[in-house]
Amino acid sequence: MAVPHRLLLVLLVLILTLSRGVAGSAASGEARKTYIFRVDHSAKPSVFPTHAHWYSSAAFASGADGGPLEPLHVYDTVFHGFSASVSASRADALRRHPAVLAAFEDQVRTLHTTRSPQFLGLRARLGLWSLADYGSDVIVGVLDTGVWPERRSLSDRNLPPVPSRWRGGCDVGPGFPASSCNRKLVGARFFSQGHVAHYGLAATASNGSVEFMSPRDADGHGTHTATTAAGSVAYEASMEGYASGVAKGVAPKARVATYKVCWKGAGCLDSDILAGFDRAVADGVDVISVSIGGGNGVASPFYLDPIAIGAYGAVSRGVFVATSAGNEGPTSMSVTNLAPWLATVGAGTIDRNFPAEIVLGDGRRLLGVSLYSGKPLTNTMLPLFYPGRSGGLSASLCMENSIDPSVVSGKIVICDRGSSPRVAKGMVVKEAGGVAMVLANGAANGEGLVGDAHVLPACSVGENEGDTLKAYAANTTNPTATINFKGTVIGVKPAPVVASFSARGPNGLVPEILKPDFIAPGVNILAAWTGAMGPTGLESDPRRTEFNILSGTSMACPHASGAAALLRSAHPGWSPAAIRSALMTTAVVTDNRGEAVGDEAQPGRVATPFDYGAGHITLGKALDPGLVYDIGDDDYVAFMCSIGYEANAIEVITHKPVACPATSRNPSGSDLNYPSISVVFYGGNQSKTVIRTATNVGAQASARYKPRVEMASSAVSVTIKPEKLVFSPTVKTQSFAITVASSSLPPASAPVYGHLVWSDGGGHDVRSPIVVTWLQPM
């Protein structure tokens, strides 16, 4: 069989990269690392036909390892420059090149890993789905682990031709012929150069498991996120009987283009992510979905963050970018993807659950969740055992080779959550001879639960139920239990609730920008799955399913991406900032009981804007928000100037010359026209005024809005001027001032929350959260 030209080219580049790494290291005595270099593209001498020729010329051939520079990636759309594997000394030499504006080391990032469209307020043939024709003219680019193209959720049945403006392509490779693309999956590309330079060819190609040097998805994450955003309608869908019904994405007729920048078990390299952004925008996507974050665990300045840089290049060209907030909740200040041009999405629950019940030998019943679908225990009472009582920390966590088969054989084993994948603990128990497992949360996870498709009868319980279970096992002679699996339950209340794992604010880089922006469904989400892995994602799991149920802000992000696709289709003239504004100002902060949205990590606690941003998105209202807070390139530049970035650092992001003013009216970024309002007082009692500008996008050109402010504490007063906004056919934008005054410090200087609502009396309530915090001056 002939080897496709694209594959030959990629393999040649990889082999050359590896051979250069070995030779260069031997010659210079220095190890190579991959660096990303931002270059002033206008500095290219005219003698070079392309920037790639320039980068590979003698002009960049300096440093101890010498020789022509051979880039891994050349960036020319959202970013200008290249990535290359070089020694530290050569990287330093390249930094001093007059055309190099910045350089930063490649980092590994992580993935942030039915019924949800209805929970967002979408209904067939009504509202946003109908007006946007289900998103059929919009193309959603997904940066992830690739795609399994044969799934019904990627069928192009009854779809019209691909939009003529589309410039993308379909990379061929092992298991991925050109015929894998269709009118639904309009593009599929893969980027492995950064991974190969970091891990080596063998690790990237196999990683000890199934992997494909092509856009095909060996992991499942990419197929799940792509079809959550824009999966076609698939009838009789379920995950081994759970969540049965009709599966469809938020924008079921939108087109999908996948960019494989993450590799199974090895994460995602910044250099490949940036290449994915660059190609997606050049191909012509309308929306980009990025369920990736992390890095080295420390928030980098925007000019050193490839996701922020790539996203800015996309947003400046009219492409909406949604990113996941991260799964490090409920820890404070854990939110990632902080740039104000990103839509940063946290996770909430939906009104569907998969309950399980543990029945103890003394008759007590404990509640949990599970997606186990195999042979049930049929009410058989079995011995219950907690290995942490005698086996130490490793045994309590059911780590590999930590529990004694002679002790756990034939028993239900209690395992503490943490340190290893939840489903991997079940495999450890099964291989040791245990017949079932209960996975118990600790303080870090509280009462937050997600379902898993375990390989043996198993369920998860919260911290309180876990403590009860372990106390029973410790204090009872011959403790016994059984597990009953209750299937799928719909209409669960309360919902939404902020998922315990969903990352929280405040923003660790610029506290004046509230993050996350909003939450979306991210718990127990059904979507299509890879054919290369079982639903647990474990190599030893032989099962194969068309759909899988996953939880994470990775699942919430594509809900926002699909929502943006629908809004872009309904309002093609709206900017990315206007779309985000519509989603934020119409978000809800009450659940399906009509009460305040709660926090799964602490039942009974009311969530705050640091947990959910503006609230939970609801698309029925977002179609017609009344007013939007728009932001353009000049606004973002002024924001970066105001937070103290130097002009040359800003140019790394913008690709354009920047001249910051000598002084800024509000030197903290708080005047950026953001839909949320975060005011920070550095020190004692103060007053601060911030400015916002609203644009009327309602059906009536003539409209009058009045403000309403509510704050949770009398320690803060808020004044709005003017006291009304009047729009006409000739006056479409109006600015107003928000003055926040602190009359006294609240107890322990705790944040004070509230909201501003502009109402026209005709159904438009444009809501902005207000957060006031006190920080000690640096």
Side-chain angles (χ1 to χ4, degrees):
M1 182 179 69
V3 180
H5 174 73
R6 161 75 175 175
L7 179 59
L8 280 172
L9 179 60
V10 169
L11 289 176
L12 179 59
V13 169
L14 301 182
I15 291 168
L16 287 173
T17 298
L18 289 175
S19 64
R20 289 197 308 271
V22 173
S25 296
S28 68
E30 292 186 82
R32 287 173 177 255
K33 293 182 178 180
T34 300
Y35 296 84
I36 300 169
F37 298 90
R38 164 74 168 95
V39 180
D40 179 2
H41 67 291
S42 65
K44 179 183 73 68
S46 59
V47 67
F48 297 106
T50 68
H51 286 81
H53 286 87
W54 181 35
Y55 303 149
S56 301
S57 73
F60 287 88
S62 61
D65 42 354
L69 186 69
E70 298 186 32
L72 299 173
H73 293 294
V74 172
Y75 311 107
D76 57 12
T77 304
V78 302
F79 184 79
H80 292 292
F82 60 89
S83 61
S85 180
V86 297
S87 66
S89 61
R90 186 163 189 183
D92 288 340
L94 287 168
R95 283 188 178 96
R96 294 192 293 272
H97 191 287
V100 172
L101 301 179
F104 36 94
E105 191 175 326
D106 211 1
Q107 294 184 28
V108 180
R109 296 180 184 264
T110 57
L111 296 161
H112 286 155
T113 172
T114 152
R115 184 170 167 76
S116 48
Q118 286 87 340
F119 193 69
L120 292 175
L122 293 169
R123 298 291 184 271
R125 296 182 294 278
L126 294 173
L128 189 50
W129 261 351
S130 176
L131 290 173
D133 189 25
Y134 300 84
S136 66
D137 57 343
V138 176
I139 300 163
V140 179
V142 182
L143 274 59
D144 214 294
T145 63
V147 68
W148 197 266
E150 293 80 13
R151 293 307 187 210
R152 288 184 294 153
S153 296
L154 293 165
S155 167
D156 64 356
R157 182 180 180 183
N158 297 326
L159 282 180
V162 177
S164 58
R165 58 189 169 79
W166 176 241
R167 301 180 295 274
C170 197
D171 290 350
V172 298
F176 208 92
S179 59
S180 299
C181 292
N182 57 22
R183 295 191 307 277
K184 179 68 173 182
L185 181 61
V186 298
R189 300 185 184 276
F190 69 101
F191 303 87
S192 59
Q193 291 91 324
H195 253 84
V196 170
H198 188 84
Y199 292 110
L201 177 59
T204 301
S206 64
N207 199 33
S209 61
V210 175
E211 182 54 283
F212 305 93
M213 192 62 72
S214 75
R216 185 169 289 278
D217 181 13
D219 180 271
H221 191 276
T223 301
H224 197 281
T225 56
T227 55
T228 297
S232 298
V233 174
Y235 295 95
E236 298 181 356
S238 74
M239 198 291 291
E240 297 195 326
Y242 286 97
S244 60
V246 180
K248 51 186 171 293
V250 177
K253 287 188 178 181
R255 317 310 171 100
V256 173
T258 63
Y259 299 83
K260 184 174 178 177
V261 299
C262 303
W263 296 79
K264 183 180 174 184
C268 329
L269 268 293
D270 281 343
S271 57
D272 293 335
I273 295 171
L274 194 53
F277 269 112
D278 206 57
R279 188 68 259 172
V281 174
D283 286 345
V285 302
D286 301 294
V287 174
I288 294 178
S289 189
V290 188
S291 292
I292 303 169
N296 60 8
V298 178
S300 299
F302 303 138
Y303 54 83
L304 296 180
D305 179 354
I307 291 180
I309 294 169
Y312 184 91
V315 168
S316 67
R317 289 164 174 79
V319 178
F320 182 93
V321 180
T323 56
S324 47
N327 296 339
E328 301 304 317
T331 303
S332 177
M333 206 181 292
S334 55
V335 63
T336 67
N337 293 319
L338 304 175
W341 44 88
L342 297 170
T344 306
V345 191
T349 64
I350 62 174
D351 62 344
R352 180 178 66 197
N353 202 5
F354 309 104
E357 182 183 63
I358 304 166
V359 182
L360 303 184
D362 62 7
R364 284 182 291 173
R365 296 172 182 268
L366 308 179
L367 297 180
V369 299
S370 180
L371 293 170
Y372 173 72
S373 60
K375 184 178 178 180
L377 296 180
T378 61
N379 295 315
T380 302
M381 300 302 290
L382 296 166
L384 181 69
F385 179 72
Y386 176 50
R389 286 195 64 199
S390 56
L393 178 62
S394 181
S396 72
L397 294 165
C398 296
M399 304 296 286
E400 190 172 0
N401 299 320
S402 68
I403 54 179
D404 185 350
S406 66
V407 176
V408 304
S409 180
K411 298 178 181 177
I412 298 177
V413 180
I414 305 168
C415 299
D416 289 333
R417 183 174 173 181
S419 298
S420 65
R422 300 182 300 272
V423 290
K425 298 176 188 294
M427 185 62 74
V428 169
V429 171
K430 182 178 182 180
E431 291 177 346
V435 295
M437 177 185 73
V438 178
L439 186 63
N441 280 2
N445 302 107
E447 301 306 310
L449 297 177
V450 294
D452 291 301
H454 291 285
V455 296
L456 81 171
C459 76
S460 298
V461 296
E463 181 185 12
N464 293 335
E465 303 282 55
D467 289 346
T468 298
L469 186 65
K470 284 182 277 190
Y472 167 74
N475 300 319
T476 304
T477 303
N478 300 320
T480 60
T482 191
I483 306 173
N484 298 324
F485 302 97
K486 302 292 187 178
T488 304
V489 175
I490 292 174
V492 172
K493 293 183 179 181
V497 172
V498 179
S500 63
F501 58 77
S502 187
R504 314 300 172 97
N507 184 328
L509 274 182
V510 188
E512 288 80 5
I513 301 298
L514 180 64
K515 292 288 182 175
D517 290 309
F518 45 74
I519 61 172
V523 178
N524 296 331
I525 303 302
L526 178 79
W529 187 243
T530 178
M533 295 294 295
T536 62
L538 299 174
E539 297 293 335
S540 52
D541 185 355
R543 298 172 295 172
R544 295 294 181 266
T545 59
E546 183 182 6
F547 296 91
N548 202 0
I549 295 172
L550 300 180
S551 299
T553 55
S554 276
M555 286 63 251
C557 172
H559 279 86
S561 305
L566 294 175
L567 290 174
R568 169 56 56 85
S569 184
H571 300 289
W574 281 10
S575 70
I579 292 173
R580 180 182 56 196
S581 176
L583 292 170
M584 291 177 68
T585 61
T586 59
V588 297
V589 294
T590 54
D591 59 28
N592 54 3
R593 304 170 303 175
E595 299 180 15
V597 168
D599 184 354
E600 185 184 42
Q602 300 179 50
R605 173 183 177 268
V606 174
T608 75
F610 281 153
D611 305 316
Y612 55 57
H616 190 284
I617 60 173
T618 173
L619 301 189
K621 294 182 179 180
L623 174 66
D624 181 20
L627 305 177
V628 297
Y629 297 98
D630 209 353
I631 307 175
D633 288 356
D634 291 344
D635 302 306
Y636 289 126
V637 169
F639 161 78
M640 287 186 277
C641 288
S642 76
I643 62 173
Y645 285 6
E646 299 290 341
N648 58 355
I650 299 173
E651 289 175 23
V652 172
I653 300 171
T654 64
H655 316 162
K656 299 175 183 177
V658 170
C660 288
T663 60
S664 173
R665 194 198 73 82
N666 230 334
S668 62
S670 56
D671 272 347
L672 182 67
N673 201 38
Y674 219 67
S676 55
I677 301 163
S678 177
V679 173
V680 180
F681 290 138
Y682 295 90
N685 303 342
Q686 297 182 45
S687 175
K688 182 176 288 189
T689 298
V690 299
I691 306 298
R692 294 293 185 268
T693 300
T695 300
N696 181 23
V697 295
Q700 301 298 320
S702 297
R704 183 184 299 262
Y705 283 80
K706 293 183 178 181
R708 182 177 75 256
V709 175
E710 294 182 12
M711 300 300 295
S713 170
S714 59
V716 171
S717 64
V718 178
T719 304
I720 309 296
K721 290 186 178 180
E723 295 181 353
K724 61 178 178 291
L725 300 179
V726 180
F727 300 92
S728 69
T730 58
V731 180
K732 297 182 178 181
T733 64
Q734 288 278 24
S735 295
F736 59 94
I738 310 118
T739 299
V740 179
S742 169
S743 58
S744 63
L745 287 175
S749 297
V752 171
Y753 308 104
H755 59 263
L756 161 66
V757 179
W758 286 101
S759 299
D760 67 351
H764 294 123
D765 293 311
V766 186
R767 187 181 186 280
S768 293
I770 300 174
V771 178
V772 183
T773 52
W774 286 259
L775 298 177
Q776 293 300 317
M778 299 297 290

